[in-house]
Amino acid sequence: MDLDEMRTLKKQRGYTNEYIADQTELPLGTVRKIFSGETKHPRFATLQALEAFFREPHAPVYPGPVYDFYPDRPPILVKEKNIDEYYFAKNGSYTASDLDRLRGDDGRGELIHGTLYNMASPTVAHQLIQMSLSFYLKRFVTENGGDCLPLTAPLDVHIHNDDYTVLQPDIIVLCNRDLIRNGKVWGAPDLVIEILSPSTKDRDLYLKLPEYQHAGVREYWIIDPMKQRVIVYDFSNGDLLHLYSFQEKIPVGIWDGDCVIDFSLIASELASVD
């Protein structure tokens, strides 16, 4: 099946780019570029995923979020249909000060264009991956005498240098220390790593990915513990997309591959806590 056939089926069946990205677990930006014609020669693995999707009939079910728009009521938690995620909704008018006031005692919570998102506590697997990766990254910086800082959540990142989008990536590497002000990061880190969980999967794949890309993040890793794979988005080199398994060694692009993470070691640790 070629791309023209897929475009025809996409139109006939009424699929949105968001729905295709959700079903194939491809980055939304990749799907958009392919079906807009911007990407002329998609990667073979990407084409395989799309072809597998289009060969099976699907019925789009994503109806969009449900918001509470009653201005006289206090903010309440609202659930997105078909997405296991809760967030505060108030016409997208929240700011960073609201985020500080409304989120829990653990300091976890995010703000995306004025909408507040609650964050569930991380699992043991999530914590293990986060701690292992931050250790490997910190060791590389220490051994090579670099100025970059590997940092972990919860840490507020004002990704667009404003008070309307404040994210808490699981791990960042920040090489420009001038972006640190009052204990927070104002601007784009060089590397962002998110570890997927059922409650954050859609946010990390669809909402936060374009925020990181547009803000100027150089490299974005999306780690999927359930599928044991890592998606690496290389924004600094033409939005290149790389897919890795947990049995591979993954080079860190911002350091030109001089730092390599052996994910088989992390996979072995994960197996011990299953």
Side-chain angles (χ1 to χ4, degrees):
M1 183 182 298
D2 60 28
L3 275 176
D4 287 337
E5 292 176 287
M6 294 184 199
R7 291 190 180 97
T8 299
L9 289 173
K10 178 178 183 286
K11 184 176 181 180
Q12 289 175 345
R13 298 174 183 177
Y15 296 153
T16 64
N17 290 329
E18 289 78 8
Y19 181 72
I20 295 171
D22 178 63
Q23 295 297 311
T24 59
E25 297 189 344
L26 293 170
L28 178 57
T30 297
V31 174
R32 284 175 173 164
K33 288 181 178 180
I34 288 173
F35 287 103
S36 69
E38 183 177 347
T39 298
K40 304 297 183 183
H41 303 288
R43 292 175 174 272
F44 180 68
T46 302
L47 286 174
Q48 281 187 313
L50 289 171
E51 184 173 359
F53 166 77
F54 278 102
R55 288 195 183 281
E56 295 294 331
H58 295 263
V61 294
Y62 180 73
V66 177
Y67 297 97
D68 177 271
F69 283 155
Y70 295 95
D72 297 330
R73 298 181 186 177
I76 62 172
L77 281 173
V78 183
K79 186 175 186 295
E80 272 188 288
K81 290 182 180 177
N82 296 322
I83 297 180
D84 185 20
E85 183 173 293
Y86 291 82
Y87 59 91
F88 288 102
K90 181 188 168 186
N91 282 330
S93 60
Y94 282 113
T95 65
S97 61
D98 296 312
L99 176 64
D100 291 335
R101 177 172 54 87
L102 292 170
R103 62 186 167 190
D105 295 335
D106 61 359
R108 297 183 64 82
E110 295 184 307
L111 180 69
I112 302 178
H113 296 294
T115 296
L116 281 165
Y117 289 80
N118 191 31
M119 300 179 73
S121 299
T123 63
V124 171
H126 186 288
Q127 287 269 32
L128 194 153
I129 294 172
Q130 183 177 14
M131 293 182 67
S132 297
L133 277 175
S134 59
F135 168 76
Y136 294 137
L137 294 169
K138 178 61 177 175
R139 184 177 65 181
F140 176 82
V141 171
T142 300
E143 291 177 351
N144 290 273
D147 293 327
C148 299
L149 289 175
L151 301 167
T152 62
L155 171 67
D156 284 349
V157 177
H158 293 247
I159 194 73
H160 299 305
N161 205 22
D162 63 23
D163 280 330
Y164 298 97
T165 298
V166 183
L167 305 178
Q168 290 193 337
D170 291 315
I171 302 173
I172 67 170
V173 173
L174 183 70
C175 298
N176 181 1
R177 300 194 182 200
D178 291 339
L179 299 183
I180 301 173
R181 301 202 305 269
N182 298 321
K184 301 180 181 182
V185 176
W186 292 77
D190 295 82
L191 170 66
V192 170
I193 300 175
E194 295 282 14
I195 304 164
L196 298 185
S197 65
S199 63
T200 66
K201 173 182 173 182
D202 294 279
R203 193 189 316 166
D204 293 337
L205 285 170
Y206 309 129
L207 294 182
K208 294 167 75 171
L209 187 151
E211 302 303 322
Y212 293 140
Q213 181 181 18
H214 295 153
V217 170
R218 295 166 57 194
E219 187 173 358
Y220 181 34
W221 289 25
I222 303 173
I223 299 173
D224 189 340
M226 296 298 295
K227 295 185 178 295
Q228 294 210 344
R229 71 178 186 181
V230 181
I231 304 170
V232 176
Y233 227 132
D234 187 355
F235 295 136
S236 62
N237 287 295
D239 298 347
L240 290 178
L241 176 66
H242 305 279
L243 299 178
Y244 299 94
S245 74
F246 272 25
Q247 299 305 316
E248 295 184 78
K249 295 180 179 180
I250 305 178
V252 180
I254 64 167
W255 292 322
D256 298 321
D258 293 334
C259 174
V260 177
I261 306 296
D262 187 348
F263 252 82
S264 65
L265 302 177
I266 298 176
S268 297
E269 292 184 86
L270 287 174
S272 69
V273 299
D274 284 345

